[in-house]
Amino acid sequence: MRSGVTHSGRGPHRPDPVIRRATARDARRLTRLVRTSRAYEGPYAPMVAGYRVGPDYIEAHRVFVAADRADDRVLGFYALLLQPPELDLMFVADEAQGLGIGRLLIGHLREEARRAGLTGVRIVSHPPAEGFYRGVGAERVGTVRANPPAVMWDRPELLLPVGP
């Protein structure tokens, strides 16, 4: 079993997530989550191999972390850019997949976007994640073509409506 999945030796621990603003001290944990994500194995691995979520990025953008209330374990995070409105990053820890963390983060993102006066947020999706985003209400609006060597594959472009 992965570390963090059990709690105090009492069997499986279902996380009790809380969403909070990321701080500079989260940078290493967020970077690790990105670089070790199983969603980026195989042909996608080079895209995140040297990726870094630095303290400067966290301080410059609206980055929010879903953390376990019990031990502050990072379950996932997202970064919302306001100009232009775009979901820049969103990752859910492998061991937290299927627990509703992604939907929780999207709900929070919608509230943040509404508070900022946005009506929609652009998402350029990792191809395997398109189904998730469509499942939370995003609509496909196009395709962002590959841009080698940085990105070697076409990616779905979606719009997530957030309301007035």
Side-chain angles (χ1 to χ4, degrees), residues 3 5 25 48 77 102 110 129 157 160:
S3 80
V5 176
R25 65 181 169 78
V48 297
F77 77 98
R110 279 190 159 117
E157 180 179 14
L160 180 70

Side-chain angles (χ1 to χ4, degrees), residues 23-36 45-61 63 77 79 88-89 91:
T23 65
R25 65 181 169 78
D26 291 313
R28 268 194 248 152
R29 294 192 295 168
L30 301 186
T31 296
R32 189 175 329 117
L33 195 157
V34 170
R35 288 184 183 177
T36 62
M47 185 166 176
V48 297
Y51 201 87
R52 180 177 168 268
V53 181
D56 52 338
Y57 179 88
I58 291 170
E59 291 177 13
H61 300 292
V63 181
F77 77 98
D88 192 38
L89 296 169
F91 282 83

Side-chain angles (χ1 to χ4, degrees), residues 61 79-88 118 120-123:
H61 300 292
L80 173 63
L81 306 181
L82 297 181
Q83 292 297 324
E86 183 169 354
L87 175 63
D88 192 38
L118 306 176
V121 174
R122 177 180 188 239
I123 300 170

